[in-house]
């Protein structure tokens, strides 16, 4: 049962898959992350973390425009002063740092040490699809009914992956040890059990093709009850202080709120209540790239890859529907859109806080 915001919403429940789909013990995905991700290891015997943080980092790799980037409040350098990505061998290599239970503490301390310098955050989540869906076309739903649908699914399901990209006002990513490699993070969680929990079979099949090993996430994944309090601590310490960026971020934000409150938490009954809870927890400017696209003078409709392609932004690591990779592409797409269409603070302020298809903050 869902708790509709106003009039009841007609939904169809996606029935539980046949036992053959949920009792499979051998994942078709490789047992290690894809080659685009860094191998997960225990913390290396380095000295103090800050000694290995670079004083400067190379700009994000997006296809450069020759138009200057304006907006003094963002501290953005003119585009012509930034290296042209993919044009030379100097373009930075990006790796996805896979986070599991065994290296969680190390990666947490590393991220905490980066917060003063990298004040922007791009987020992506991967979850088991949706098990409640509207009977008719989703675009015909009111915002209240779209939120009721989101609530029903997020209350029922568990997060599988969270991708975090930290970046600064110049779209630079963090690096370590003086090398040229830059990093984003992908957290793997243990709560979802494909054998017992409801899910959309097509979503699980797709995630397997992207490298998710559901046996390994159950065995080695991070406990959400441990991550939630840490996330709240990061927010108090400045995570995403200058802005949090998503793409069609209603579900992303809802899963983060659920995780911060802990096991058994149910989302508020209405979009307005959800807005209040999210505001009190995050206290951040929110930028939804999909919503921003609606306010651009050209046609930028579509999913993340489609919008990025229309802006000449390339994926620099991984594949679609890998949380770390998608969070990085969201970061790059946001910066390119900001440079091209939201080149002053007033324009950007007008789209801050709106989550595509859910509510307006």
């Amino acid at each position: 049962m869902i708790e509709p915001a106003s009039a009841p919403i007609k939904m169809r429940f996606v029935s539980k898959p046949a036992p053959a789909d949920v009792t499979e013990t051998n994942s078709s995905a490789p047992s290690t992350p894809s080659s685009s991700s860094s191998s997960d290891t225990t913390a290396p015997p380095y000295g103090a973390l800050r000694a290995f943080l670079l004083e400067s980092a190379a700009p994000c790799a997006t296809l450069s425009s020759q138009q200057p980037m304006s907006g003094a409040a963002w501290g953005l350098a003119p585009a012509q002063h930034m290296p042209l990505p993919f044009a030379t061998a100097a373009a930075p290599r990006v790796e996805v740092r896979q986070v599991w239970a065994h290296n969680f503490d190390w990666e947490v301390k590393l991220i905490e040490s980066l917060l003063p310098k990298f004040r922007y955050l791009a987020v992506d989540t991967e979850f088991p699809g949706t098990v409640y869906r509207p009977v008719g076309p989703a675009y015909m739903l009111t915002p209240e009914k779209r939120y009721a649908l989101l609530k029903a699914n997020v209350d029922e399901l568990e997060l599988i992956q969270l991708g975090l990209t930290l970046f600064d006002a110049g779209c630079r990513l963090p690096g370590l040890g003086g090398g040229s490699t830059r990093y984003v993070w992908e957290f793997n969680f243990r709560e979802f059990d494909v054998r017992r929990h409801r899910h959309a079979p097509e979503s699980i099949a797709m995630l397997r093709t992207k490298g998710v090993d559901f046996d390994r996430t159950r065995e080695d994944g991070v406990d959400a009850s441990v991550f939630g309090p840490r996330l709240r601590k990061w927010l108090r310490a400045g995570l995403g202080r200058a802005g949090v960026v998503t793409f069609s971020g209603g579900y992303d934000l809802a899963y983060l709120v659920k995780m911060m409150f802990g096991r058994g938490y149910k989302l508020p009954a209405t979009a307005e209540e959800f807005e209040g809870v999210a505001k009190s927890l995050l206290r951040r400017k929110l930028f939804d790239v999909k919503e921003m696209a609606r306010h651009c003078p050209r046609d930028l409709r579509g999913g993340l890859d489609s919008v990025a392609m229309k802006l000449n932004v390339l994926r620099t690591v991984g594949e679609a529907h890998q949380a770390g990779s998608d969070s990085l592409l969201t970061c790059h797409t946001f910066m390119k859109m900001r440079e091209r269409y939201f080149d002053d603070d007033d324009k950007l302020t007008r789209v801050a806080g709106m989550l595509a298809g859910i509510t307006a903050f």
Side-chain angles (χ1 to χ4, degrees):
M1 293 289 293
I2 71 166
E3 301 171 273
S6 53
I9 176 174
K10 293 183 180 181
M11 293 191 226
R12 58 189 177 89
F13 168 63
V14 181
S15 61
K16 187 175 180 179
D21 291 327
V22 299
T23 58
E24 181 180 349
T25 58
N26 295 319
S27 168
S28 60
S31 59
T32 57
S34 68
S35 59
S36 64
S37 301
S38 60
S39 59
D40 50 290
T41 59
T42 56
Y46 297 152
L49 283 173
R50 291 186 183 274
F52 291 86
L53 302 180
L54 296 181
E55 291 301 317
S56 61
C60 293
T62 61
L63 290 180
S64 177
S65 164
Q66 294 305 308
Q67 297 299 319
M69 299 171 69
S70 59
W74 284 64
L76 299 179
Q80 62 264 30
H81 294 163
M82 299 168 66
L84 291 175
F86 311 115
T88 70
R93 176 173 179 263
V94 180
E95 288 188 5
V96 179
R97 295 180 72 90
Q98 297 286 339
V99 184
W100 305 89
H102 75 268
N103 65 345
F104 176 73
D105 289 340
W106 171 262
E107 298 297 331
V108 160
K109 291 177 183 177
L110 180 56
I111 288 174
E112 288 174 352
S113 69
L114 295 165
L115 297 183
K117 183 173 182 180
F118 298 91
R119 296 161 54 85
Y120 294 84
L121 175 69
V123 175
D124 181 76
T125 59
E126 298 298 334
F127 45 90
T130 56
V131 295
Y132 293 100
R133 299 171 188 174
V135 173
Y139 69 85
M140 296 184 65
L141 296 177
T142 64
E144 291 78 12
K145 291 182 178 180
R146 282 196 292 268
Y147 174 75
L149 194 65
L150 175 148
K151 170 179 165 55
N153 283 296
V154 175
D155 283 350
E156 183 78 20
L157 304 174
E158 302 291 345
L159 193 60
I160 296 172
Q161 284 186 342
L162 171 66
L164 300 180
T165 293
L166 280 65
F167 60 107
D168 67 11
C171 198
R172 288 177 287 265
L173 307 178
L176 302 172
S180 61
T181 302
R182 302 295 177 260
Y183 297 99
V184 300
W185 280 262
E186 188 170 276
F187 288 79
N188 300 276
F189 296 101
R190 67 180 307 273
E191 280 65 34
F192 175 69
D193 188 340
V194 71
R195 302 171 186 82
R196 297 189 302 110
H197 295 153
R198 289 156 69 174
H199 58 269
E202 67 275 16
S203 296
I204 297 304
M206 180 270 297
L207 288 174
R208 279 187 167 133
T209 67
K210 302 302 180 180
V212 176
D213 183 337
F214 292 101
D215 292 329
R216 186 178 184 194
T217 56
R218 281 292 295 161
E219 183 176 349
D220 299 331
V222 175
D223 191 324
S225 65
V226 174
F227 181 80
R230 183 65 62 173
L231 180 58
R232 296 184 77 156
K233 179 181 177 182
W234 283 349
L235 288 169
R236 291 193 297 270
L239 178 69
R241 178 172 293 156
V244 175
V245 183
T246 67
F247 187 93
S248 193
Y251 276 85
D252 297 327
L253 185 57
Y255 274 110
L256 293 182
V257 167
K258 177 180 177 179
M259 190 171 290
M260 283 189 279
F261 275 107
R263 198 179 307 277
Y265 175 75
K266 302 297 183 182
L267 293 181
T270 68
E272 290 75 17
E273 292 175 286
F274 176 68
E275 173 184 347
V277 169
K279 278 185 175 180
S280 66
L281 281 177
L282 295 177
R283 301 182 183 276
R284 300 290 187 269
K285 289 182 179 178
L286 298 174
F287 299 101
D288 190 318
V289 175
K290 189 174 181 70
E291 180 63 25
M292 290 171 67
R294 293 181 57 245
H295 297 265
C296 294
R298 60 175 291 196
D299 180 11
L300 292 177
R301 290 174 294 182
L304 175 58
D305 281 286
S306 175
V307 173
M309 181 178 65
K310 291 174 182 179
L311 291 169
N312 294 323
V313 177
L314 299 184
R315 186 180 294 271
T316 57
V317 65
E319 301 179 58
H321 301 293
Q322 293 177 339
S325 175
D326 278 354
S327 71
L328 179 60
L329 187 60
T330 298
C331 159
H332 289 172
T333 306
F334 168 74
M335 293 300 288
K336 178 58 68 174
M337 191 178 291
R338 198 270 180 204
E339 171 192 343
R340 188 170 294 178
Y341 299 113
F342 302 93
D343 56 355
D344 66 58
D345 292 337
D346 288 341
K347 291 179 182 178
L348 198 63
T349 298
R350 286 197 290 270
V351 296
M354 292 185 286
L355 292 173
I358 302 299
T359 185
F361 279 43

